[in-house]
Amino acid sequence: MSGQYSDPKLKIFALNSNKPLAEKIAEAVGVKLGKTSVDRFSDGEIRINIEESIRGDQVYIIQSTSAPVNDNLMELLIMIDALRRASAQTINVVIPYYGYARQDRKARSREPITAKLVADMIEKAGATRIIALDLHAAQIQGFFDIPMDHLMGAPLLADYFIEHHLDKDSVVVSPDHGGVTRARKLAEFLKAPIAIIDKRRPRANVAEVMNIIGEVKGKRCIMIDDMIDTAGTITLGAQALMDAGATEVYASCTHPVLSGPAIQRIANSPIKQLIVTDSINLPEEKKISKITQISVGPLIGEAIRLIHENKPVSPLFNNRFSKEEAERD
């Protein structure tokens, strides 16, 4: 959306986790980012000051709870509290990447469900709505007792593959059983079959590929996941696909966590290209030639506009096709 948005009561603020994305979101909506300062006391405590009146406004905060996770989470909680005390009418929290999402259940005795704890803290601080993107587990939506809009990255990733003519003679691959629904969604956009990599994970961040379910021989394989952390799963999967006769392997994800040995693993892997979004801000040292980043700014910006105008956001789940695809239809 271009031009100035007509309602002055809509305000968008950015904290420190991903200001480049926040600027793209504000541009897509047609507003300027609100004025705020985030700094620290000498002992490391976070200090936030909102430098304009927001009384009676409908405010949107952009903050991914990515690394440094705890700092970004505390920034978000303090900002919500500041907005509540400054009499904002609504406090809409936009979380492109929801940290702690992998701790969504008790896998073993005496484990916390940290994703629920984070949801409770955000809600208790004063948030009135959550807008999230590709949660690691869909049930996290139910951890909140306030309205939650859950956006999907698959349509945007599909746009990329269609526009670059990579959808022909392709198969969409889920790197594990848990990602089948996500792979099926992308496969619907690309009009492609799916395959599944059956793996066993002996311990955290260590994955062992066991078997490939589906036909990949002679096909271009497009792997999709919600996040890539240490890249062990995705790179082992890519090698298994090549060993099974795939012609080439592309990988994609919404959240490029890319911690530890991830960049080196991707660089040394048979993955031809890794397509990610900017839900997490990538530092320069992680921007290698194999990684292509597409922006979720227009998607989130459109969601904010629709929510602010009390319109449904469901069209964003199904109608984001490439120009070429729209012309073919």
Side-chain angles (χ1 to χ4, degrees):
M1 184 177 179
S2 58
Q4 188 70 23
Y5 193 72
S6 58
D7 188 354
K9 287 293 184 181
L10 188 154
K11 300 281 181 67
I12 298 178
F13 288 91
L15 297 175
N16 283 334
S17 70
N18 200 337
K19 284 189 175 178
L21 173 59
E23 288 168 358
K24 291 173 185 174
I25 292 170
E27 182 182 356
V29 175
V31 301
K32 291 183 178 179
L33 283 176
K35 297 177 182 178
T36 185
S37 61
V38 183
D39 55 20
R40 279 170 168 72
F41 292 99
S42 58
D43 65 351
E45 290 180 0
I46 296 166
R47 176 172 57 187
I48 289 178
N49 184 47
I50 302 166
E51 299 178 350
E52 60 183 270
S53 174
I54 48 89
R55 184 177 296 275
D57 290 343
Q58 298 186 44
V59 179
Y60 293 79
I61 318 167
I62 315 297
Q63 179 80 330
S64 282
T65 49
S66 50
V69 182
N70 298 330
D71 286 354
N72 287 333
L73 178 58
M74 278 305 300
E75 277 187 14
L76 177 59
L77 296 173
I78 293 168
M79 181 65 171
I80 294 170
D81 185 71
L83 291 168
R84 179 173 60 85
R85 295 177 187 276
S87 301
Q89 181 181 341
T90 61
I91 302 171
N92 305 276
V93 180
V94 181
I95 312 178
Y97 171 71
Y98 187 95
Y100 286 109
R102 284 172 283 187
Q103 298 180 46
D104 63 307
R105 67 196 185 283
K106 287 186 68 172
R108 292 185 295 271
S109 299
R110 297 176 295 281
E111 276 193 340
I113 305 179
T114 319
K116 176 65 168 76
L117 174 63
V118 169
D120 288 343
M121 290 192 295
I122 291 171
E123 195 170 334
K124 184 65 176 177
T128 55
R129 176 183 290 273
I130 304 295
I131 302 167
L133 176 69
D134 265 340
L135 292 168
H136 183 67
Q139 64 264 26
I140 292 173
Q141 297 174 78
F143 292 176
F144 291 91
D145 291 326
I146 54 178
M148 152 74 84
D149 292 287
H150 187 205
L151 305 177
M152 302 293 176
L156 283 174
L157 297 171
D159 281 353
Y160 178 89
F161 291 117
I162 292 170
E163 288 168 5
H164 290 80
H165 310 290
L166 298 172
D167 53 323
K168 303 291 189 253
D169 203 29
S170 65
V171 57
V172 177
V173 181
S174 173
D176 53 35
H177 291 279
V180 171
T181 301
R182 188 177 297 107
R184 188 176 291 119
K185 188 69 175 178
L186 180 61
E188 288 174 3
F189 286 119
L190 302 185
K191 299 179 174 62
I194 71 168
I196 305 165
I197 296 176
D198 178 33
K199 71 178 189 333
R200 181 176 301 163
R201 188 186 294 275
R203 60 184 185 275
N205 294 327
V206 177
E208 179 184 353
V209 173
M210 301 297 290
N211 193 22
I212 296 172
I213 303 168
E215 183 56 53
V216 300
K217 187 174 182 180
K219 298 280 189 178
R220 174 188 294 116
C221 291
I222 299 175
M223 303 178 74
I224 183 170
D225 211 343
D226 64 315
M227 71 172 72
I228 296 176
D229 188 355
T230 59
T233 296
I234 210 85
T235 52
L236 283 172
Q239 187 60 58
L241 292 169
M242 293 299 292
D243 292 344
T247 57
E248 55 185 7
V249 177
Y250 287 78
S252 60
C253 75
T254 304
H255 308 302
V257 179
L258 302 180
S259 63
I263 296 298
Q264 184 177 357
R265 284 174 172 174
I266 291 164
N268 296 333
S269 76
I271 294 172
K272 188 167 184 179
Q273 200 73 21
L274 169 61
I275 318 304
V276 304
T277 80
D278 56 353
S279 67
I280 296 174
N281 191 33
L282 282 185
E284 288 299 320
E285 62 269 18
K286 293 184 179 181
K287 293 180 179 179
I288 62 173
S289 59
K290 272 193 176 184
I291 297 177
T292 298
Q293 200 167 29
I294 59 178
S295 183
V296 294
L299 170 66
I300 295 176
E302 182 67 4
I304 288 173
R305 186 186 66 80
L306 291 171
I307 291 165
H308 186 71
E309 296 173 0
N310 293 314
K311 295 179 180 177
V313 298
S314 52
L316 300 181
F317 302 153
N318 303 307
N319 297 340
R320 297 188 65 83
F321 290 94
S322 67
K323 293 178 182 178
E324 182 178 319
E325 177 75 6
E327 289 169 1
R328 284 207 302 265
D329 288 349

